[in-house]
Amino acid sequence: MSLHHTPRPQWLTFDCYGTLIQWDEGLQAVFAEILQAKNAPHIDPATLIAVHDRHEHALEQTPPHRSFREVSGTALRLALAELGLPSQADDSQRLTERIGAMPPFPEVVGALQQLKTRGFRLCIISNTDDDIIAGNVAQLGGCIDRVITAQQGGAYKPARQLFEYAYAQLQVAKEDVVHICASPHLDHAAARDIGFRCVWIDRGRRSPLPDYSPDAILPTLEGVPALFDTLGWSNPAYE
């Protein structure tokens, strides 16, 4: 697949955590703090992250729909129990507060600003709650035009429901959007099933899906404006 000879999109949609925001780094830090507070130096933070992620993804896809705050907190309690550690009431709050404070990758704000000058409208589509992601969006230089969350759509990626909700809210067809993301599991599955165009920001931390190839692959967001320039999408008046 290729973006060449396809229409210029009206909107660019982005996954947030791992694409724009330093998710892995932030999780590593907060889970290390939680383990230190529980006097559990024998457990690697990466182990707790992996167990937490497994529970979190399962809860996200299990009815009824729950807020991300509830999902994340329940997943943390289950993960700690699985590793033989006790839970405290403030564990979940510590985690969600730290998620909302996670900063962007170094190149992100500059790249978003360049895309804005090219006339694109920018939207985040994220598996989170409005109040949690607000702290992250506040660090993105005022570039984001719209934020659509799982809380609003009543569904979590990779379910196509959240993307279909986003298109309805933006009042566009899938052909009017290019999605930019770092998560094959959560975003590429929907791109494969729905058929929207997708740029993979491959930061070297996720494996691709075996049955899907994105339209373009870049190592960071920095290369996106130049890629779009080569497609003739640099002029805001482009029709």
Side-chain angles (χ1 to χ4, degrees), residues 132-165:
I132 295 174
I133 200 172
N136 309 112
V137 175
Q139 302 179 70
L140 296 178
C143 295
I144 302 301
D145 297 292
R146 186 73 184 266
V147 178
I148 294 173
T149 64
Q151 180 183 13
Q152 298 169 30
Y156 289 98
K157 299 182 285 186
R160 61 186 295 164
Q161 178 182 337
L162 183 55
F163 286 96
E164 290 171 341
Y165 173 84

Short mmCIF file of all heavy atoms in Angstrom, two decimals, residues 132-165:
data_model
loop_
_atom_site.label_atom_id
_atom_site.label_comp_id
_atom_site.label_asym_id
_atom_site.label_seq_id
_atom_site.Cartn_x
_atom_site.Cartn_y
_atom_site.Cartn_z
N ILE A 132 -8.07 12.58 32.04
CA ILE A 132 -6.68 12.08 32.08
C ILE A 132 -5.86 12.66 30.93
O ILE A 132 -4.76 13.18 31.13
CB ILE A 132 -6.65 10.54 32.06
CG1 ILE A 132 -7.30 9.99 33.34
CG2 ILE A 132 -5.22 10.03 31.92
CD1 ILE A 132 -7.45 8.48 33.34
N ILE A 133 -6.40 12.61 29.73
CA ILE A 133 -5.63 13.03 28.55
C ILE A 133 -5.47 14.55 28.48
O ILE A 133 -4.58 15.05 27.80
CB ILE A 133 -6.27 12.49 27.26
CG1 ILE A 133 -5.25 12.48 26.11
CG2 ILE A 133 -7.52 13.28 26.89
CD1 ILE A 133 -5.74 11.80 24.85
N ALA A 134 -6.30 15.28 29.22
CA ALA A 134 -6.21 16.74 29.18
C ALA A 134 -4.81 17.24 29.55
O ALA A 134 -4.31 18.20 28.96
CB ALA A 134 -7.25 17.36 30.11
N GLY A 135 -4.17 16.58 30.51
CA GLY A 135 -2.84 16.99 30.91
C GLY A 135 -1.80 16.77 29.83
O GLY A 135 -0.84 17.54 29.70
N ASN A 136 -1.99 15.72 29.03
CA ASN A 136 -1.07 15.46 27.91
C ASN A 136 -1.29 16.45 26.78
O ASN A 136 -0.34 17.00 26.22
CB ASN A 136 -1.26 14.04 27.40
CG ASN A 136 -1.21 12.99 28.49
OD1 ASN A 136 -2.21 12.36 28.78
ND2 ASN A 136 -0.06 12.80 29.11
N VAL A 137 -2.56 16.69 26.44
CA VAL A 137 -2.88 17.59 25.34
C VAL A 137 -2.37 19.01 25.64
O VAL A 137 -1.93 19.73 24.74
CB VAL A 137 -4.39 17.60 25.07
CG1 VAL A 137 -4.76 18.64 24.01
CG2 VAL A 137 -4.86 16.21 24.63
N ALA A 138 -2.39 19.39 26.91
CA ALA A 138 -1.92 20.72 27.30
C ALA A 138 -0.44 20.93 26.99
O ALA A 138 0.03 22.07 26.93
CB ALA A 138 -2.17 20.95 28.79
N GLN A 139 0.29 19.84 26.77
CA GLN A 139 1.72 19.92 26.48
C GLN A 139 2.03 19.89 24.98
O GLN A 139 3.20 19.83 24.58
CB GLN A 139 2.45 18.76 27.16
CG GLN A 139 2.27 18.73 28.68
CD GLN A 139 3.00 17.55 29.29
OE1 GLN A 139 4.23 17.51 29.33
NE2 GLN A 139 2.25 16.57 29.76
N LEU A 140 0.99 19.92 24.14
CA LEU A 140 1.17 19.75 22.70
C LEU A 140 1.09 21.06 21.93
O LEU A 140 0.78 21.08 20.74
CB LEU A 140 0.16 18.73 22.16
CG LEU A 140 0.32 17.31 22.71
CD1 LEU A 140 -0.77 16.39 22.16
CD2 LEU A 140 1.71 16.75 22.40
N GLY A 141 1.37 22.16 22.58
CA GLY A 141 1.54 23.43 21.90
C GLY A 141 0.29 24.03 21.29
O GLY A 141 0.39 24.86 20.37
N GLY A 142 -0.87 23.63 21.75
CA GLY A 142 -2.11 24.18 21.21
C GLY A 142 -2.42 23.73 19.80
O GLY A 142 -3.23 24.36 19.11
N CYS A 143 -1.80 22.63 19.37
CA CYS A 143 -1.94 22.19 17.97
C CYS A 143 -3.17 21.31 17.72
O CYS A 143 -3.58 21.16 16.58
CB CYS A 143 -0.70 21.40 17.55
SG CYS A 143 0.82 22.37 17.50
N ILE A 144 -3.72 20.71 18.77
CA ILE A 144 -4.77 19.71 18.59
C ILE A 144 -6.14 20.38 18.49
O ILE A 144 -6.54 21.15 19.35
CB ILE A 144 -4.74 18.70 19.76
CG1 ILE A 144 -3.37 18.04 19.85
CG2 ILE A 144 -5.84 17.66 19.59
CD1 ILE A 144 -2.93 17.28 18.63
N ASP A 145 -6.85 20.06 17.41
CA ASP A 145 -8.17 20.63 17.18
C ASP A 145 -9.29 19.85 17.87
O ASP A 145 -10.32 20.43 18.21
CB ASP A 145 -8.47 20.67 15.67
CG ASP A 145 -7.49 21.55 14.92
OD1 ASP A 145 -7.54 22.78 15.12
OD2 ASP A 145 -6.69 21.02 14.14
N ARG A 146 -9.08 18.57 18.06
CA ARG A 146 -10.16 17.74 18.61
C ARG A 146 -9.54 16.55 19.33
O ARG A 146 -8.53 15.99 18.88
CB ARG A 146 -11.06 17.25 17.45
CG ARG A 146 -12.32 16.50 17.86
CD ARG A 146 -13.36 17.45 18.43
NE ARG A 146 -14.52 16.71 18.90
CZ ARG A 146 -15.61 16.48 18.17
NH1 ARG A 146 -15.69 16.92 16.93
NH2 ARG A 146 -16.63 15.82 18.69
N VAL A 147 -10.15 16.16 20.42
CA VAL A 147 -9.73 14.97 21.16
C VAL A 147 -10.95 14.06 21.30
O VAL A 147 -11.99 14.48 21.82
CB VAL A 147 -9.17 15.33 22.55
CG1 VAL A 147 -8.79 14.05 23.31
CG2 VAL A 147 -7.97 16.25 22.43
N ILE A 148 -10.82 12.83 20.83
CA ILE A 148 -11.90 11.84 20.92
C ILE A 148 -11.38 10.67 21.74
O ILE A 148 -10.33 10.09 21.42
CB ILE A 148 -12.36 11.40 19.53
CG1 ILE A 148 -13.02 12.60 18.82
CG2 ILE A 148 -13.34 10.23 19.62
CD1 ILE A 148 -13.38 12.35 17.38
N THR A 149 -12.10 10.34 22.81
CA THR A 149 -11.63 9.33 23.74
C THR A 149 -12.57 8.14 23.79
O THR A 149 -13.72 8.20 23.35
CB THR A 149 -11.54 9.92 25.16
OG1 THR A 149 -12.86 10.31 25.58
CG2 THR A 149 -10.61 11.12 25.20
N ALA A 150 -12.06 7.07 24.39
CA ALA A 150 -12.90 5.89 24.63
C ALA A 150 -14.07 6.25 25.53
O ALA A 150 -15.17 5.67 25.40
CB ALA A 150 -12.06 4.78 25.26
N GLN A 151 -13.87 7.19 26.43
CA GLN A 151 -14.97 7.63 27.29
C GLN A 151 -16.12 8.19 26.45
O GLN A 151 -17.29 7.91 26.71
CB GLN A 151 -14.47 8.70 28.27
CG GLN A 151 -15.55 9.22 29.20
CD GLN A 151 -15.05 10.32 30.11
OE1 GLN A 151 -13.98 10.87 29.91
NE2 GLN A 151 -15.83 10.65 31.13
N GLN A 152 -15.79 8.98 25.44
CA GLN A 152 -16.82 9.57 24.58
C GLN A 152 -17.48 8.51 23.70
O GLN A 152 -18.71 8.51 23.53
CB GLN A 152 -16.21 10.65 23.70
CG GLN A 152 -15.62 11.83 24.44
CD GLN A 152 -14.80 12.72 23.52
OE1 GLN A 152 -15.06 12.83 22.33
NE2 GLN A 152 -13.77 13.35 24.07
N GLY A 153 -16.67 7.64 23.12
CA GLY A 153 -17.18 6.68 22.15
C GLY A 153 -17.75 5.41 22.75
O GLY A 153 -18.39 4.63 22.05
N GLY A 154 -17.52 5.20 24.05
CA GLY A 154 -18.05 4.00 24.69
C GLY A 154 -17.41 2.72 24.21
O GLY A 154 -18.02 1.64 24.29
N ALA A 155 -16.16 2.80 23.73
CA ALA A 155 -15.46 1.61 23.23
C ALA A 155 -13.97 1.88 23.23
O ALA A 155 -13.53 3.03 23.16
CB ALA A 155 -15.93 1.25 21.82
N TYR A 156 -13.21 0.80 23.28
CA TYR A 156 -11.75 0.88 23.25
C TYR A 156 -11.21 0.27 21.96
O TYR A 156 -11.73 -0.73 21.47
CB TYR A 156 -11.15 0.11 24.44
CG TYR A 156 -11.37 0.77 25.77
CD1 TYR A 156 -12.40 0.36 26.62
CD2 TYR A 156 -10.53 1.81 26.20
CE1 TYR A 156 -12.60 0.97 27.85
CE2 TYR A 156 -10.73 2.42 27.43
CZ TYR A 156 -11.76 1.99 28.25
OH TYR A 156 -11.96 2.60 29.47
N LYS A 157 -10.18 0.90 21.41
CA LYS A 157 -9.42 0.25 20.34
C LYS A 157 -8.87 -1.08 20.88
O LYS A 157 -8.53 -1.14 22.06
CB LYS A 157 -8.26 1.13 19.88
CG LYS A 157 -8.69 2.49 19.33
CD LYS A 157 -7.51 3.30 18.84
CE LYS A 157 -6.70 3.90 19.96
NZ LYS A 157 -5.63 4.80 19.48
N PRO A 158 -8.80 -2.12 20.05
CA PRO A 158 -8.90 -2.14 18.60
C PRO A 158 -10.31 -2.26 18.03
O PRO A 158 -10.46 -2.40 16.81
CB PRO A 158 -8.08 -3.39 18.22
CG PRO A 158 -8.28 -4.31 19.37
CD PRO A 158 -8.34 -3.42 20.58
N ALA A 159 -11.37 -2.19 18.83
CA ALA A 159 -12.72 -2.25 18.30
C ALA A 159 -12.94 -1.11 17.31
O ALA A 159 -12.60 0.05 17.59
CB ALA A 159 -13.73 -2.17 19.44
N ARG A 160 -13.52 -1.42 16.17
CA ARG A 160 -13.73 -0.41 15.14
C ARG A 160 -14.75 0.64 15.58
O ARG A 160 -14.81 1.72 14.99
CB ARG A 160 -14.15 -1.06 13.83
CG ARG A 160 -15.44 -1.84 13.88
CD ARG A 160 -15.70 -2.59 12.58
NE ARG A 160 -15.90 -1.70 11.47
CZ ARG A 160 -15.84 -2.07 10.18
NH1 ARG A 160 -15.57 -3.34 9.88
NH2 ARG A 160 -16.05 -1.21 9.21
N GLN A 161 -15.53 0.35 16.61
CA GLN A 161 -16.57 1.27 17.06
C GLN A 161 -16.01 2.65 17.40
O GLN A 161 -16.64 3.68 17.10
CB GLN A 161 -17.29 0.70 18.28
CG GLN A 161 -18.37 1.60 18.86
CD GLN A 161 -19.02 1.00 20.10
OE1 GLN A 161 -19.00 -0.22 20.30
NE2 GLN A 161 -19.60 1.85 20.94
N LEU A 162 -14.84 2.70 18.02
CA LEU A 162 -14.28 3.99 18.41
C LEU A 162 -13.90 4.82 17.19
O LEU A 162 -14.12 6.03 17.15
CB LEU A 162 -13.08 3.81 19.33
CG LEU A 162 -12.45 5.11 19.88
CD1 LEU A 162 -13.50 5.97 20.59
CD2 LEU A 162 -11.30 4.80 20.81
N PHE A 163 -13.33 4.17 16.16
CA PHE A 163 -12.98 4.90 14.95
C PHE A 163 -14.23 5.36 14.21
O PHE A 163 -14.28 6.48 13.69
CB PHE A 163 -12.10 4.03 14.05
CG PHE A 163 -10.69 3.90 14.55
CD1 PHE A 163 -10.31 2.81 15.31
CD2 PHE A 163 -9.74 4.87 14.28
CE1 PHE A 163 -9.01 2.68 15.78
CE2 PHE A 163 -8.43 4.76 14.75
CZ PHE A 163 -8.08 3.66 15.50
N GLU A 164 -15.24 4.52 14.13
CA GLU A 164 -16.47 4.91 13.46
C GLU A 164 -17.14 6.07 14.19
O GLU A 164 -17.70 6.98 13.56
CB GLU A 164 -17.40 3.71 13.33
CG GLU A 164 -16.85 2.68 12.33
CD GLU A 164 -17.63 1.38 12.33
OE1 GLU A 164 -18.35 1.11 13.31
OE2 GLU A 164 -17.51 0.64 11.33
N TYR A 165 -17.09 6.05 15.51
CA TYR A 165 -17.59 7.16 16.30
C TYR A 165 -16.81 8.43 15.96
O TYR A 165 -17.39 9.52 15.78
CB TYR A 165 -17.47 6.85 17.80
CG TYR A 165 -17.81 8.02 18.70
CD1 TYR A 165 -19.13 8.31 19.04
CD2 TYR A 165 -16.80 8.84 19.21
CE1 TYR A 165 -19.43 9.40 19.86
CE2 TYR A 165 -17.10 9.92 20.02
CZ TYR A 165 -18.41 10.19 20.35
OH TYR A 165 -18.71 11.27 21.15
#
